Amino acid sequence: MSTLLSGLARNIESVEVVEVGPRDGLQNESTPLPAQVKVELVDRLAAAGLPAIEAAAFVSPRWVPQMADGAQVMASIRRRPGVVYSALVPNVRGMEAALAAGVDEVVVFSAASESFARRNINCGIAESIQRFEPVAAMAREAGVRLRGSISCALGCPYEGAVPASAVVAVVQRMADLGCHSVDIADTIGVGTAGAVQQVFEAASRVLPLARLAGHFHDTYGQALANVLAALQIGVRSFHASVAGLGGCPYARGATGNLATEDLLYLLHGLGLRTGVDLQAVVDCGDFISGALGRANSSRAARALLAARGAAGCETAGAH
Ligand code: HMG
Ligand code: MG
């Protein structure tokens, strides 16, 4: 392990990478994709070794039409033993659909800012937690894992700076609901390393770091620095999106999530185990970028693809 991670985080040897591309990434793509392509993406990501994949969202199709085929996607994927397939649910109706689809984990989502919560789920933070209470009860009864996600934890497109105390309050509410872990999400990618350490340290006073995850967007090019800052204080679960897909339909200007390939390149370079095959994820990113007709946003993937091309040329030249 790198000396960069000595000190508080010295016990970390492996890191969990949660793949959010099929949900957080594809929900924001304007090119409509057939369910079969989404299924192939999820199956390829699982085969690459990703241990947890957000595969669908059971939200209103009026709000996010890209996720309307969640049941079809969940029914068609090849379940790989050991992989956690999760879906976002905003209310009881979504929970019923998620349970019928056989998800392993449901994700309830709110925000650290009132304005973003209203734009995203059409209710305030307190009301969202009330909506999640029956969802949490259903999860307990069904034996399905419950995770919480907090958007705009490092800044809000409508309110600007968000105090760490506002994040902590929502972490506490989600812990009370029974969430086994909570994501601190920088939805618009404005966070910097110091602010990231501050918010995680504050949140860890109500939920241990081992039950918190970092979800960073790269709008200002800070996502990898933010991962490193979080790693240094002991966070060991991070979200990322293959090929850097994504953004957020209710956060204009937010770029994609941190690319999975970039995250893996950093983690493996630090000597941390993820169980994920970076080259296989590069292939997944190439596949989905081609299906969407868009450029691959991962810097590491572009470099690795270029290196493959160069190696191919050298081999060809040798004959
Ligand atoms: P609403 O309009 O207040 O609710 O929306 P409603 O109960 O009046 O329902 C509106 C319509 O949706 C009705 O249909 C309902 O039946 C239907 P209509 O009668 O008009 O034909 N409906 C549903 N349909 C399917 N599944 C459901 C469902 N619920 C209602 N579960 C609501 C409230 C919460 C439903 C809506 O605001 C919503 O679905 N919002 C989701 C927005 C969303 O998915 N945003 C992206 C995910 S969050 C995110 O990406 C951030 C995160 O990744 C972290 C980060 O990146 O930083 C987590
Ligand atoms: Mg995101």
Side-chain angles (χ1 to χ4, degrees), residues 20 23-24 185 187 215-217 247 257:
V20 298
R23 194 282 304 169
D24 196 358
T187 310
H215 178 121
F216 301 120
H217 283 238
N257 296 273

Side-chain angles (χ1 to χ4, degrees), residues 34-43 55 69-79 85 101:
Q36 205 40 50
V37 174
K38 300 179 181 179
V39 168
E40 183 166 349
L41 176 64
V42 173
D43 286 345
D69 55 4
Q72 201 184 335
V73 172
M74 287 302 301
S76 308
I77 56 179
R78 268 194 314 274
R79 300 288 182 101
Y85 296 92

Side-chain angles (χ1 to χ4, degrees), residues 96-118:
E96 285 165 352
L99 290 179
V103 302
D104 302 309
E105 178 187 72
V106 290
V107 185
V108 290
F109 56 106
S110 189
S113 97
E114 287 291 337
S115 310
F116 188 81
R118 289 189 187 283

Side-chain angles (χ1 to χ4, degrees), residues 20-32 38 63-67 187 217 241 244-257 292 294:
V20 298
R23 194 282 304 169
D24 196 358
L26 296 185
Q27 76 180 8
N28 204 47
E29 293 294 334
S30 48
T31 308
K38 300 179 181 179
W63 287 65
V64 186
Q66 293 91 331
M67 292 286 105
T187 310
H217 283 238
S241 173
L245 298 176
C248 177
Y250 298 101
R252 188 184 297 193
T255 62
N257 296 273
L292 289 165
R294 83 198 293 279

Side-chain angles (χ1 to χ4, degrees), residues 18-240:
V18 178
E19 172 60 49
V20 298
R23 194 282 304 169
D24 196 358
L26 296 185
Q27 76 180 8
N28 204 47
E29 293 294 334
S30 48
T31 308
L33 275 185
Q36 205 40 50
V37 174
K38 300 179 181 179
V39 168
E40 183 166 349
L41 176 64
V42 173
D43 286 345
R44 282 175 176 238
L45 289 164
L50 268 316
I53 302 175
E54 278 188 11
F58 293 98
V59 299
S60 168
R62 280 178 186 273
W63 287 65
V64 186
Q66 293 91 331
M67 292 286 105
D69 55 4
Q72 201 184 335
V73 172
M74 287 302 301
S76 308
I77 56 179
R78 268 194 314 274
R79 300 288 182 101
R80 256 184 122 81
V83 175
V84 174
Y85 296 92
S86 62
L88 257 62
V89 300
N91 51 22
V92 166
R93 169 138 181 221
M95 183 62 176
E96 285 165 352
L99 290 179
V103 302
D104 302 309
E105 178 187 72
V106 290
V107 185
V108 290
F109 56 106
S110 189
S113 97
E114 287 291 337
S115 310
F116 188 81
R118 289 189 187 283
R119 305 270 178 139
N120 195 36
I121 49 176
N122 207 22
C123 68
I125 297 167
E127 193 185 338
S128 73
I129 300 293
Q130 277 171 10
R131 276 189 198 169
F132 299 147
E133 276 163 8
V135 171
M138 290 164 81
R140 266 194 306 280
E141 198 170 315
V144 166
R145 257 172 35 160
L146 184 70
R147 170 153 65 85
S149 191
I150 305 176
S151 294
C152 293
L154 284 133
C156 169
Y158 313 109
E159 294 180 16
V162 169
S165 57
V167 181
V168 173
V170 187
V171 172
Q172 180 71 70
R173 306 292 297 271
M174 288 186 160
D176 293 345
L177 280 173
C179 291
H180 77 94
S181 76
V182 174
D183 318 324
I184 307 272
D186 183 10
T187 310
I188 54 170
V190 289
T192 51
V196 165
Q197 290 195 337
Q198 203 185 2
V199 75
F200 273 96
E201 272 165 349
S204 70
R205 286 183 213 119
V206 296
L207 200 64
L209 281 173
R211 291 172 59 192
L212 294 169
H215 178 121
F216 301 120
H217 283 238
D218 208 26
T219 317
Y220 286 79
Q222 302 299 301
L224 282 177
N226 291 342
V227 169
L228 189 54
L231 275 172
Q232 282 174 323
I233 60 164
V235 179
R236 57 191 72 182
S237 176
F238 295 95
H239 294 193

